[in-house]
Amino acid sequence: MLVSPEAVYMRQIGKAPLNLPGWERYSTWGWDSRDGELYAQLYRNSDDPRDMPRVWISTAAGWPQSTAVPEVLAGWIARATGAADSGVLAALADSLGDRGARLRELAGTA
């Protein structure tokens, strides 16, 4: 299985905020150790965080497995939110700090 350096880091920290405009208040992404995959829980800023996520990207919710590749997860987040792929990649990169350099390059924001 292909595992990106970002997924290795997410395995260590578990989850991180997803600072995607319009979705940044409550949305998270991270590593699901039970299913061995990256996931995202997406809430619009106007959603109640006590409710289930508006979109839950994981195999448990019927999505294909992300195979530990953040670019795949980013594409699904973009499809679910209507955001540009580059914006989602930049949001994922921002949550990783210095470890997000490769994703920033893919987003064109390096």
Side-chain angles (χ1 to χ4, degrees):
M1 169 171 37
L2 178 63
V3 178
S4 71
E6 298 87 4
V8 171
Y9 181 61
M10 290 310 296
R11 285 180 182 173
Q12 296 168 5
I13 66 170
K15 73 177 181 177
L18 180 63
N19 295 316
L20 186 64
W23 300 81
E24 72 273 18
R25 281 195 190 146
Y26 313 113
S27 296
T28 61
W29 74 289
W31 184 258
D32 181 339
S33 58
R34 185 190 67 183
D35 292 331
E37 66 180 355
L38 292 171
Y39 75 90
Q41 292 182 335
L42 307 174
Y43 295 85
R44 286 190 191 274
N45 287 349
S46 58
D47 291 342
D48 186 335
R50 295 170 293 190
D51 292 338
M52 293 293 292
R54 182 176 293 260
V55 180
W56 191 334
I57 298 174
S58 79
T59 55
W63 290 79
Q65 189 172 33
S66 68
T67 63
V69 179
E71 299 93 283
V72 172
L73 182 67
W76 294 337
I77 293 170
R79 188 171 88 195
T81 62
D85 287 354
S86 60
V88 176
L89 285 165
L92 295 177
D94 286 348
S95 67
L96 296 174
D98 293 342
R99 296 178 186 258
R102 187 181 71 83
L103 295 179
R104 271 190 279 289
E105 285 178 20
L106 291 171
T109 59

